[in-house]
mmCIF file of all heavy atoms in Angstrom:
data_model
loop_
_atom_site.group_PDB
_atom_site.id
_atom_site.type_symbol
_atom_site.label_atom_id
_atom_site.label_comp_id
_atom_site.label_asym_id
_atom_site.label_seq_id
_atom_site.Cartn_x
_atom_site.Cartn_y
_atom_site.Cartn_z
ATOM 1 N N LEU G 15 -5.777 -1.977 4.089
ATOM 2 C CA LEU G 15 -5.465 -2.177 2.675
ATOM 3 C C LEU G 15 -4.092 -2.828 2.504
ATOM 4 O O LEU G 15 -3.897 -3.674 1.627
ATOM 5 C CB LEU G 15 -5.514 -0.845 1.920
ATOM 6 C CG LEU G 15 -6.917 -0.306 1.660
ATOM 7 C CD1 LEU G 15 -6.857 1.164 1.263
ATOM 8 C CD2 LEU G 15 -7.613 -1.131 0.581
ATOM 9 N N ARG G 16 -3.151 -2.458 3.352
ATOM 10 C CA ARG G 16 -1.825 -3.066 3.302
ATOM 11 C C ARG G 16 -1.911 -4.549 3.650
ATOM 12 O O ARG G 16 -1.314 -5.398 2.976
ATOM 13 C CB ARG G 16 -0.879 -2.352 4.261
ATOM 14 C CG ARG G 16 0.490 -2.956 4.263
ATOM 15 C CD ARG G 16 1.414 -2.224 5.202
ATOM 16 N NE ARG G 16 2.690 -2.924 5.225
ATOM 17 C CZ ARG G 16 3.458 -2.994 6.278
ATOM 18 N NH1 ARG G 16 3.122 -2.398 7.391
ATOM 19 N NH2 ARG G 16 4.586 -3.645 6.222
ATOM 20 N N LYS G 18 -4.534 -6.485 3.396
ATOM 21 C CA LYS G 18 -5.248 -7.141 2.293
ATOM 22 C C LYS G 18 -4.292 -7.394 1.133
ATOM 23 O O LYS G 18 -4.271 -8.492 0.562
ATOM 24 C CB LYS G 18 -6.413 -6.260 1.840
ATOM 25 C CG LYS G 18 -7.190 -6.830 0.682
ATOM 26 C CD LYS G 18 -8.308 -5.880 0.260
ATOM 27 C CE LYS G 18 -9.031 -6.384 -0.976
ATOM 28 N NZ LYS G 18 -10.051 -5.426 -1.436
ATOM 29 N N GLY G 20 -1.032 -7.680 1.194
ATOM 30 C CA GLY G 20 -0.070 -8.723 1.558
ATOM 31 C C GLY G 20 -0.663 -10.111 1.443
ATOM 32 O O GLY G 20 -0.024 -11.040 0.937
ATOM 33 N N PHE G 23 -1.108 -11.029 -2.204
ATOM 34 C CA PHE G 23 0.185 -11.355 -2.797
ATOM 35 C C PHE G 23 0.587 -12.791 -2.454
ATOM 36 O O PHE G 23 1.034 -13.545 -3.323
ATOM 37 C CB PHE G 23 1.250 -10.362 -2.322
ATOM 38 C CG PHE G 23 2.570 -10.564 -2.998
ATOM 39 C CD1 PHE G 23 2.800 -10.030 -4.257
ATOM 40 C CD2 PHE G 23 3.583 -11.278 -2.386
ATOM 41 C CE1 PHE G 23 4.023 -10.222 -4.905
ATOM 42 C CE2 PHE G 23 4.802 -11.461 -3.011
ATOM 43 C CZ PHE G 23 5.017 -10.938 -4.275
ATOM 44 N N GLN G 25 -1.301 -15.190 -1.851
ATOM 45 C CA GLN G 25 -2.187 -16.101 -2.581
ATOM 46 C C GLN G 25 -1.863 -16.148 -4.077
ATOM 47 O O GLN G 25 -2.490 -16.874 -4.833
ATOM 48 C CB GLN G 25 -3.640 -15.681 -2.394
ATOM 49 C CG GLN G 25 -4.136 -15.825 -0.981
ATOM 50 C CD GLN G 25 -5.539 -15.284 -0.832
ATOM 51 O OE1 GLN G 25 -6.397 -15.533 -1.664
ATOM 52 N NE2 GLN G 25 -5.770 -14.518 0.218
ATOM 53 N N LEU G 29 -1.773 -8.765 -9.098
ATOM 54 C CA LEU G 29 -2.430 -7.559 -9.600
ATOM 55 C C LEU G 29 -3.391 -6.978 -8.567
ATOM 56 O O LEU G 29 -3.393 -5.771 -8.316
ATOM 57 C CB LEU G 29 -3.163 -7.841 -10.913
ATOM 58 C CG LEU G 29 -3.812 -6.633 -11.584
ATOM 59 C CD1 LEU G 29 -2.782 -5.544 -11.878
ATOM 60 C CD2 LEU G 29 -4.521 -7.056 -12.857
ATOM 61 N N GLU G 30 -4.181 -7.842 -7.955
ATOM 62 C CA GLU G 30 -5.112 -7.392 -6.926
ATOM 63 C C GLU G 30 -4.338 -6.853 -5.715
ATOM 64 O O GLU G 30 -4.732 -5.860 -5.112
ATOM 65 C CB GLU G 30 -6.053 -8.526 -6.497
ATOM 66 C CG GLU G 30 -7.028 -8.942 -7.576
ATOM 67 C CD GLU G 30 -6.460 -9.966 -8.571
ATOM 68 O OE1 GLU G 30 -5.229 -10.216 -8.561
ATOM 69 O OE2 GLU G 30 -7.247 -10.488 -9.368
ATOM 70 N N LEU G 32 -1.379 -5.481 -5.795
ATOM 71 C CA LEU G 32 -0.833 -4.186 -6.196
ATOM 72 C C LEU G 32 -1.868 -3.080 -6.031
ATOM 73 O O LEU G 32 -1.554 -1.999 -5.525
ATOM 74 C CB LEU G 32 -0.329 -4.252 -7.637
ATOM 75 C CG LEU G 32 0.254 -2.973 -8.213
ATOM 76 C CD1 LEU G 32 1.456 -2.508 -7.403
ATOM 77 C CD2 LEU G 32 0.631 -3.182 -9.669
ATOM 78 N N GLN G 37 -3.377 1.759 -3.055
ATOM 79 C CA GLN G 37 -4.364 2.561 -2.318
ATOM 80 C C GLN G 37 -3.819 2.909 -0.935
ATOM 81 O O GLN G 37 -3.953 4.047 -0.479
ATOM 82 C CB GLN G 37 -5.687 1.806 -2.184
ATOM 83 C CG GLN G 37 -6.454 1.690 -3.473
ATOM 84 C CD GLN G 37 -7.721 0.863 -3.298
ATOM 85 O OE1 GLN G 37 -7.964 0.263 -2.247
ATOM 86 N NE2 GLN G 37 -8.546 0.824 -4.327
ATOM 87 N N SER G 38 -3.213 1.927 -0.277
ATOM 88 C CA SER G 38 -2.626 2.159 1.035
ATOM 89 C C SER G 38 -1.523 3.214 0.938
ATOM 90 O O SER G 38 -1.460 4.141 1.765
ATOM 91 C CB SER G 38 -2.063 0.853 1.588
ATOM 92 O OG SER G 38 -1.450 1.055 2.832
ATOM 93 N N GLN G 40 -1.172 5.625 -1.210
ATOM 94 C CA GLN G 40 -1.745 6.961 -1.434
ATOM 95 C C GLN G 40 -2.264 7.568 -0.129
ATOM 96 O O GLN G 40 -2.109 8.773 0.099
ATOM 97 C CB GLN G 40 -2.854 6.900 -2.487
ATOM 98 C CG GLN G 40 -2.335 6.611 -3.876
ATOM 99 C CD GLN G 40 -1.215 7.529 -4.297
ATOM 100 O OE1 GLN G 40 -1.286 8.750 -4.139
ATOM 101 N NE2 GLN G 40 -0.133 6.956 -4.805
ATOM 102 N N ALA G 52 7.732 4.596 2.853
ATOM 103 C CA ALA G 52 8.897 3.802 2.464
ATOM 104 C C ALA G 52 8.560 2.314 2.419
ATOM 105 O O ALA G 52 8.910 1.611 1.458
ATOM 106 C CB ALA G 52 10.051 4.060 3.426
ATOM 107 N N MET G 56 8.254 -0.105 -1.111
ATOM 108 C CA MET G 56 8.958 -1.367 -1.305
ATOM 109 C C MET G 56 7.975 -2.484 -1.670
ATOM 110 O O MET G 56 8.197 -3.240 -2.621
ATOM 111 C CB MET G 56 9.724 -1.757 -0.043
ATOM 112 C CG MET G 56 10.463 -3.074 -0.183
ATOM 113 S SD MET G 56 11.129 -3.676 1.382
ATOM 114 C CE MET G 56 9.629 -4.066 2.263
ATOM 115 N N SER G 61 5.476 -6.194 -5.743
ATOM 116 C CA SER G 61 4.305 -6.638 -6.511
ATOM 117 C C SER G 61 4.488 -6.358 -8.001
ATOM 118 O O SER G 61 4.126 -7.183 -8.847
ATOM 119 C CB SER G 61 3.037 -5.957 -6.001
ATOM 120 O OG SER G 61 2.740 -6.382 -4.699
ATOM 121 N N LEU G 65 4.749 -9.048 -11.244
ATOM 122 C CA LEU G 65 3.961 -8.925 -12.467
ATOM 123 C C LEU G 65 4.839 -8.748 -13.706
ATOM 124 O O LEU G 65 4.337 -8.663 -14.823
ATOM 125 C CB LEU G 65 2.991 -7.745 -12.346
ATOM 126 C CG LEU G 65 1.855 -7.939 -11.345
ATOM 127 C CD1 LEU G 65 1.163 -6.617 -11.066
ATOM 128 C CD2 LEU G 65 0.868 -8.979 -11.860
ATOM 129 N N GLY G 66 6.153 -8.670 -13.499
ATOM 130 C CA GLY G 66 7.078 -8.505 -14.610
ATOM 131 C C GLY G 66 7.267 -7.068 -15.052
ATOM 132 O O GLY G 66 7.887 -6.805 -16.077
ATOM 133 N N ALA G 71 8.850 -0.992 -11.144
ATOM 134 C CA ALA G 71 9.393 -1.375 -9.838
ATOM 135 C C ALA G 71 10.626 -0.556 -9.474
ATOM 136 O O ALA G 71 10.910 -0.357 -8.298
ATOM 137 C CB ALA G 71 9.738 -2.859 -9.840
#
Side-chain angles (χ1 to χ4, degrees):
L15 286 164
R16 179 179 176 213
K18 178 182 175 184
F23 185 82
Q25 294 175 44
L29 184 58
E30 292 85 349
L32 179 60
Q37 289 177 353
S38 178
Q40 291 308 313
M56 179 190 68
S61 293
L65 291 167

